[in-house]
Amino acid sequence: MGKMSELDAGLEELRKCSEKIIAISEMISAMFSTDDEPADNEPPKEVKANVITLEDVRRVLADKSLSGYRADVKNLITSFGAEKLSDIDSSKYEELLAKAEVIGNAE
């Protein structure tokens, strides 16, 4: 067999192997795919991206305090029935930040 014939046979064998690898990868993919995955035309389920932490709230309130609104910040915290920021339930952080944004922005 000549060199070109050997090369041609080798390339043909390589094509067959790659086709088998693709078929195996598709089978494995099908085995591990679930029905829970959204179809291409369905929008993905909404994931709550922004989780407000105590540190986030503390940063905003500290900025307000340092800007001269210390009493307003203290009144805001007590309006939530707390003595200090860490006493406020984390479920109230979004509301607290919304009210904090108003501090110092009144016209």
Side-chain angles (χ1 to χ4, degrees):
M1 195 185 312
K3 295 236 180 218
M4 290 304 283
S5 295
E6 286 180 36
L7 183 58
D8 190 44
L11 288 173
E12 185 59 33
E13 189 65 30
L14 187 58
R15 278 189 209 104
K16 289 178 184 177
C17 288
S18 65
E19 289 171 0
K20 288 180 183 178
I21 290 172
I22 291 171
I24 291 170
S25 68
E26 289 173 351
M27 284 183 359
I28 291 172
S29 179
M31 286 173 35
F32 289 103
S33 68
T34 64
D35 293 337
D36 295 339
E37 294 178 7
D40 290 339
N41 59 353
E42 292 180 25
K45 294 178 183 176
E46 188 174 322
V47 177
K48 192 166 187 176
N50 292 342
V51 176
I52 301 171
T53 65
L54 175 63
E55 290 76 24
D56 297 331
V57 177
R58 188 174 310 231
R59 188 177 312 112
V60 170
L61 294 182
D63 286 345
K64 296 290 183 178
S65 288
L66 292 174
S67 297
Y69 300 102
R70 183 180 172 98
D72 294 323
V73 169
K74 182 64 178 168
N75 289 337
L76 178 61
I77 292 171
T78 56
S79 74
F80 281 84
E83 289 292 316
K84 54 188 178 182
L85 179 59
S86 59
D87 292 338
I88 298 175
D89 186 67
S90 62
S91 65
K92 303 282 187 183
Y93 288 166
E94 188 173 349
E95 179 184 356
L96 178 64
L97 282 179
K99 290 183 178 183
E101 290 298 321
V102 176
I103 295 175
N105 293 329
E107 294 182 22

